[in-house]
Amino acid sequence: MVSSIQQVVRTQTRAIIALYQNVRARTMQLVAPLEIEDYVIQTAEFMSPPRWHIGHTSWFFETLLQAHQPGYRVYSEDYLFYFNSYYEGFGERIERPKRGTRSRPTVRDTVAYRNHVDEQMLGFLESLEAQPNAETILSLVRLGLEHEMQHQELLVYDIKHLLCDQFAAAIQPAPPSTLKVEGMAEIPGGLFWLGYDSALYRTGSGSRVLCETDVPPPRYRSGFCNYEFAFDNEKPAHQVFLQDFAIDRAPVSNGDFLEFMWAGGYQDFRWWFSEGWEAVNREHWAAPLYWELHDGQWLIRDFSGLHAVASKADEPVSHVSYFEASAFAKWAGKRLPTEAEWEKAACFAAGKDERQLFPWGDDAVDSAKANLFENNLWAPAPIGSFPAGQNAFGCHQMIGDVWEWTTSDYVPYPGFKSEFDEYNDKWFVNQKVLRGGSFATPQIHIRATYRNFFHAHERWMTSGFRCAQDL
C-alpha cells in the first residue's frame, strides 16, 4: 500500500514535471524569433547574450543533477565555466562583461546542452519517489523554475536593448483605457504585517489560514498558486508601523514625465541626489532610456516601433532610474513610497482591517486584472486599462506594467534566513527595492510581496514609479 507521504510526493512530482516542461518551453518560444547572429551579441555590460540565458538556466538544473543524481556526469567543464553567473561556490566563471566575447559554445551546441539537461531532469523527476529527500529536491526544482522565469523577463529586457523594434514579437493590441485615473488615495497607518508568511491567508482582526479547506488559495491550471512559493528575501513576515500616507492612484505617466522634462527637470540640480546629478552629467541623460529627440519632438522606441510621446502619454513611464524617479517626485512636491507603504496599499482590504493577496482581492492573476507576460502586449498598457485590477482605494495597475521604485534600501528583513547560498543574501547592499512586476513578468511568478532590486542608476529594466505623500 502506498503511504500518504508517497502519494503527496507523487502528486507534487506530477505537477512539477508539468510546470518544468511549460517553463522550459516558454523560454525557447521567447527566443524563437531571433536570428542565429542575435544569440551571441552583448550590446552593453549590463545585458547578456540570449545564448547565455538559455545555457545558464540549464546550468542551474545541471548543478542540481550533480548534487542529487548518483553517477551523473558533467556535460562539459567548459560549460560550467561559461554558464555560471555569480556563484562563487560553483567555481570560476567568465566575467559578466565578457559573455559576448566568445563564439563558442555555439547556439546549436547550447541548445543540445539544454536538451540534454531536460532529458536528464525529466528522467530524474520520474524516479523521484525513490529518493529519501524528494521534498527537498522538489523545492529546489521549483526554485530553479522561478529562477528561469526571472531570466525570461531579463531576456525581454536584453532583446529590447539588442533589437527593440526589429524583434518580431507577436504583439497583441493593448486594451483601451476605460477610466480616467486621477489623484491620490489616502491609506490609514498603524501596524501592518510586511512580507510573506505561508501560514497566513489574511492578517489583521480577521486572520484566516491560507490552506484552510474553506479558503483555498487561487490556483492556475498548472496546479500551482502564486503564494505556494516565495523567495527567502520576502521572509519572514514582520510587523511594521506606518503613519497615515497618500499614494498615487496611477503610476506616473509618460505625459507627466514629459512635463518634468519641459520644465527643465534634467537641467536643475535642485531635484537630484548628488550621485544622481553626477549620473545625469556623466551619462548625458536628458530623458528616459529609449526616448529619442527628433526635430524638437520626443519619441519613444519600443518593440512596436517609434512613437510620439503624445500617442503614449497615458502609459506608465518606464526605463527610468531611481534617481530619475526621486527627482520627479521632489519636483512634484511628493516623494517615493517605502516598500511597506507600497505593500499596504497593494494588499490592505479597506474597511475590513484585513490583508488580501492582491490589490483586487484573493482571486488568481489573469489577463483582465493585470498586464503581465501572458497578455503579450510587450509594453505597458494605458492607465485605466485594467479596472478589474484596482484596489478598494482606486489604485490602478499596481501589479504588472512596470516595476515600481520604492525609497527602501534592499536589506534583509528582521529574522532573515538564507534558503539558498548566494541567491539573494549577497546583494543586500547599495540597491533599492522595486515592487509589482512588469509586462514581462509571468503571471504565476508575481506576488504582492515580491521584492525586486536594482542599483539606483540602473534603467535598462522595465522600471517606473508612483509617488506618495505624508498626511
Side-chain angles (χ1 to χ4, degrees):
M1 184 174 179
V2 179
S3 71
S4 58
I5 295 177
Q6 285 178 308
Q7 288 178 329
V8 169
V9 169
R10 180 177 296 170
T11 300
Q12 292 177 337
T13 301
R14 291 292 101 199
I16 207 76
I17 286 174
L19 185 64
Y20 182 94
Q21 292 171 320
N22 178 274
V23 171
R24 298 287 283 174
R26 176 182 284 176
T27 300
M28 299 310 294
Q29 291 164 3
L30 200 161
V31 299
L34 295 172
E35 299 293 344
I36 198 70
E37 293 84 357
D38 300 326
Y39 281 88
V40 298
I41 301 297
Q42 185 172 13
T43 52
E45 289 189 0
F46 54 74
M47 69 87 69
S48 298
R51 169 195 54 176
W52 184 86
H53 283 288
I54 64 175
H56 169 68
T57 49
S58 301
W59 169 92
F60 193 99
F61 288 110
E62 187 174 43
T63 63
L64 190 152
L65 289 167
Q66 282 181 273
H68 295 284
Q69 185 179 38
Y72 178 80
R73 297 181 61 182
V74 170
Y75 188 84
S76 166
E77 293 290 343
D78 289 340
Y79 289 17
L80 293 182
F81 170 80
Y82 181 71
F83 291 124
N84 190 356
S85 55
Y86 49 72
Y87 296 95
E88 301 282 353
F90 287 96
E92 295 184 358
R93 66 205 182 282
I94 193 168
E95 296 175 32
R96 180 175 179 174
K98 296 182 178 180
R99 290 172 184 168
T101 61
R102 293 189 171 199
S103 60
R104 305 296 172 92
T106 65
V107 178
R108 180 177 58 189
D109 291 341
T110 303
V111 172
Y113 171 56
R114 187 178 178 89
N115 292 339
H116 166 82
V117 170
D118 284 346
E119 181 181 354
Q120 294 293 314
M121 276 296 300
L122 291 171
F124 178 56
L125 290 172
E126 290 287 355
S127 63
L128 199 58
E129 287 180 54
Q131 295 280 352
N133 55 345
E135 291 188 74
T136 298
I137 293 170
L138 285 171
S139 67
L140 289 173
V141 175
R142 180 68 187 270
L143 174 63
L145 295 173
E146 299 289 339
H147 165 260
E148 182 145 352
M149 285 186 265
Q150 288 179 317
H151 277 271
Q152 289 170 352
E153 182 157 359
L154 292 173
L155 264 167
V156 173
Y157 303 161
D158 289 348
I159 290 171
K160 184 172 184 178
H161 200 267
L162 174 66
L163 294 171
C164 207
D165 53 346
Q166 297 180 70
F167 182 68
I171 300 173
Q172 297 298 312
S177 175
T178 58
L179 293 172
K180 187 171 181 61
V181 185
E182 297 179 310
M184 303 186 79
E186 295 186 359
I187 311 295
L191 289 173
F192 174 71
W193 283 94
L194 175 65
Y196 174 88
D197 186 344
S198 62
L200 293 178
Y201 188 67
R202 296 180 187 267
T203 55
S205 60
S207 294
R208 288 196 285 163
V209 179
L210 177 63
C211 295
E212 281 183 355
T213 56
D214 62 325
V215 191
R219 293 182 178 274
Y220 298 95
R221 283 177 294 179
S222 64
F224 291 97
C225 77
N226 298 71
Y227 280 81
E228 283 179 335
F229 173 89
F231 291 109
D232 54 11
N233 64 3
E234 302 170 52
K235 309 169 191 175
H238 58 288
Q239 279 192 312
V240 297
F241 181 81
L242 297 175
Q243 300 289 346
D244 296 347
F245 67 97
I247 193 167
D248 285 344
R249 290 193 172 94
V252 170
S253 68
N254 290 320
D256 297 331
F257 204 84
L258 185 61
E259 290 183 27
F260 167 70
M261 291 164 55
W262 287 134
Y266 280 92
Q267 291 78 46
D268 194 333
F269 67 89
R270 292 179 300 162
W271 313 127
W272 299 83
F273 293 120
S274 177
E275 191 175 331
W277 186 241
E278 290 175 7
V280 168
N281 289 283
R282 182 180 63 251
E283 305 295 334
H284 306 291
W285 288 350
L289 187 63
Y290 299 112
W291 286 41
E292 303 176 14
L293 188 62
H294 292 259
D295 298 324
Q297 182 182 18
W298 282 107
L299 309 175
I300 300 174
R301 190 180 298 277
D302 61 18
F303 282 106
S304 63
L306 194 60
H307 315 270
V309 173
S311 69
K312 289 182 168 288
D314 292 334
E315 294 180 9
V317 68
S318 61
H319 297 291
V320 291
S321 65
Y322 172 79
F323 292 139
E324 290 162 293
S326 60
F328 175 97
K330 188 174 182 181
W331 169 79
K334 301 178 183 180
R335 60 174 175 81
L336 297 181
T338 66
E339 66 170 322
E341 289 173 333
W342 189 97
E343 189 172 314
K344 181 163 189 179
C347 294
F348 188 70
K352 299 180 181 179
D353 192 26
E354 291 181 344
R355 183 188 178 95
Q356 55 194 28
L357 293 182
F358 292 106
W360 55 82
D362 297 331
D363 292 338
V365 186
D366 60 43
S367 296
K369 297 185 182 74
N371 178 21
L372 294 156
F373 185 80
E374 285 78 359
N375 294 64
N376 290 312
L377 302 189
W378 290 83
I383 292 165
S385 298
F386 295 90
Q390 67 180 299
N391 70 3
F393 299 96
C395 294
H396 285 246
Q397 288 157 266
M398 298 194 78
I399 298 296
D401 286 297
V402 293
W403 286 100
E404 297 185 15
W405 286 106
T406 74
T407 193
S408 295
D409 293 327
Y410 179 58
V411 295
Y413 285 160
F416 168 82
K417 293 181 180 179
S418 176
E419 296 176 2
F420 191 84
D421 289 344
E422 297 191 82
Y423 199 93
N424 284 311
D425 53 345
K426 69 188 294 178
W427 308 113
F428 286 135
V429 64
N430 296 334
Q431 304 200 65
K432 291 291 185 180
V433 175
L434 301 91
R435 293 301 199 98
S438 81
F439 69 83
T441 308
Q443 286 179 357
I444 197 174
H445 186 59
I446 195 61
R447 292 169 300 285
T449 59
Y450 196 124
R451 304 175 79 201
N452 206 345
F453 52 94
F454 285 96
H455 293 286
H457 69 277
E458 293 184 285
R459 57 189 200 151
W460 55 281
M461 61 288 185
T462 304
S463 50
F465 64 102
R466 71 181 71 216
C467 297
Q469 269 185 337
D470 299 326
L471 290 178

